[in-house]
Amino acid sequence: MSQAMTAAAAAAARVIAVASNSTFTAASSCLLLKTPFALKRGCNALSFNNGRRLSKRLFSCNALFYPLVQIKQEGQPETLDYRVFFEDTSGTKISPWHDVPLHMGDGVFNFIVEIPKESSAKMEVATDELYTPIKQDTKKGKLRYYPYNINWNYGLLPQTWEDPSLANNEVEAAFGDNDPVDVVEIGESQRKIGEILKVKPLAALAMIDEGELDWKIVAISLDDPRASLVNDVDDVEKHFPGTLTAIRDWFRDYKIPDGKPANKFGLGNRAANKDYALKVITETNESWAKLVQRSIPAGGLSLV
């Protein structure tokens, strides 16, 4: 079977699975991979020089293996051709956006790391490419870096989508940014590009970037030593004092060195609680399901 036919079959399977569950419950988010991921730790994702971190360099292993998913690189890091692909156990490419399940049950969600903490290369899922691999973002043909390191693990919630045709009346009627929902993971460990973590949401920040709504879900990995201490926004303030303000300020200001205005935040410029974060996840999961059913135009997005 050709790659195109395989991709089409996978996309069709997702549509059928979603369509069979109109309530968009957890079952609709576990379309291909239905059992929890167990992570195997290994290679460093960043390069080091005499113990010092090189802030712009993001080197990951040639293959990081999971029981259900393996991650493989194509091309060299920090080049325009570099891609991090996800494959199933048969070696078939799958999409980290569409094929990794969102829900793990009991309020736990899968989170895919795009940017490890204490690094600055702006890595992201390529939503317009076949199988949506992780790549380094570009601008005017050049690789993009943040002006300074990000202090948390950053990535996305699979099977979510911020609909650019949908205005949010609670957040200045801003429209979605056409991307999966972003996650800021506040645990102590530096993770790897493509690593899949089980996280619990704690809070939500409603960032408005050039008029577009760009949610930031604050979460913590279940394997973090302090995970049991934090279950809502107030716990973050207690056990990670100053973190929510630091996250807001970081995302507010990171474009200023490039001569752009500061980003804004809705919801009174404050982090909303866990229940609100879960509401955002539910709504964007529903939008994603409509997208893959093609009841909403996909535009240039890849549904494979």
Side-chain angles (χ1 to χ4, degrees):
M1 183 179 292
S2 70
Q3 185 180 70
M5 292 177 64
T6 301
R14 283 197 296 270
V15 172
I16 293 170
V18 173
S20 68
N21 189 339
S22 61
T23 59
F24 305 108
T25 60
S28 71
S29 294
C30 301
L31 303 179
L32 296 183
L33 306 175
K34 297 182 181 295
T35 56
F37 293 94
L39 303 180
K40 182 177 180 180
R41 302 182 185 278
C43 328
N44 292 327
L46 301 180
S47 68
F48 293 84
N49 182 11
N50 295 327
R52 296 179 60 82
R53 192 182 317 282
L54 301 179
S55 64
K56 284 192 174 184
R57 309 203 68 81
L58 273 172
F59 297 104
S60 56
C61 312
N62 288 331
L64 300 174
F65 289 94
Y66 306 95
L68 295 176
V69 175
Q70 63 180 11
I71 298 171
K72 289 190 175 180
Q73 298 180 108
E74 293 186 7
Q76 293 299 313
E78 296 191 276
T79 67
L80 295 174
D81 296 329
Y82 181 61
R83 298 292 185 274
V84 178
F85 282 97
F86 286 57
E87 297 181 353
D88 66 17
T89 52
S90 71
T92 301
K93 287 179 179 177
I94 63 172
S95 165
W97 181 19
H98 299 308
D99 296 326
V100 174
L102 171 63
H103 295 273
M104 299 303 291
D106 297 325
V108 177
F109 300 86
N110 275 323
F111 158 58
I112 298 170
V113 179
E114 295 169 305
I115 306 174
K117 68 187 296 183
E118 305 307 332
S119 63
S120 66
K122 193 175 186 303
M123 309 299 294
E124 61 179 20
V125 162
T127 58
D128 59 348
E129 295 185 11
L130 193 65
Y131 302 111
T132 65
I134 297 174
K135 69 172 186 177
Q136 189 166 349
D137 191 21
T138 60
K139 183 177 181 180
K140 297 181 179 179
K142 295 183 178 180
L143 298 173
R144 291 186 66 188
Y145 295 89
Y146 290 124
Y148 31 73
N149 285 356
I150 189 167
N151 306 125
W152 312 274
N153 297 300
Y154 187 56
L156 73 138
L157 289 175
Q159 300 187 343
T160 62
W161 179 56
E162 298 184 50
D163 185 349
S165 69
L166 185 63
N168 190 311
N169 293 326
E170 296 178 359
V171 187
E172 301 183 18
F175 292 87
D177 72 347
N178 202 32
D179 282 326
V181 171
D182 296 326
V183 173
V184 183
E185 195 276 319
I186 62 174
E188 67 178 31
S189 297
Q190 182 190 66
R191 304 299 185 154
K192 304 171 183 67
I193 297 174
E195 190 169 357
I196 302 171
L197 305 179
K198 297 177 185 177
V199 301
K200 56 180 177 180
L202 305 169
L205 286 160
M207 190 176 93
I208 302 172
D209 182 356
E210 298 182 6
E212 295 181 336
L213 180 56
D214 186 3
W215 288 107
K216 308 298 179 189
I217 302 297
V218 179
I220 191 167
S221 179
L222 295 190
D223 64 359
D224 188 82
R226 288 186 283 177
S228 63
L229 302 176
V230 287
N231 294 290
D232 211 327
V233 65
D234 292 337
D235 297 328
V236 180
E237 293 288 9
K238 179 179 179 181
H239 296 285
F240 293 79
T243 295
L244 293 173
T245 298
I247 292 171
R248 184 198 62 200
D249 292 353
W250 195 98
F251 283 99
R252 181 193 64 197
D253 297 340
Y254 79 90
K255 291 185 176 181
I256 293 177
D258 292 331
K260 294 185 176 181
N263 289 318
K264 299 179 180 179
F265 287 84
L267 303 180
N269 208 38
R270 296 174 61 85
N273 64 15
K274 177 179 181 176
D275 286 343
Y276 202 99
L278 293 174
K279 173 176 174 285
V280 170
I281 294 170
T282 297
E283 290 174 349
T284 54
N285 178 229
E286 291 174 357
S287 292
W288 169 84
K290 293 174 184 177
L291 176 69
V292 296
Q293 289 182 74
R294 292 172 170 78
S295 60
I296 296 176
L301 299 175
S302 173
L303 301 184
V304 175

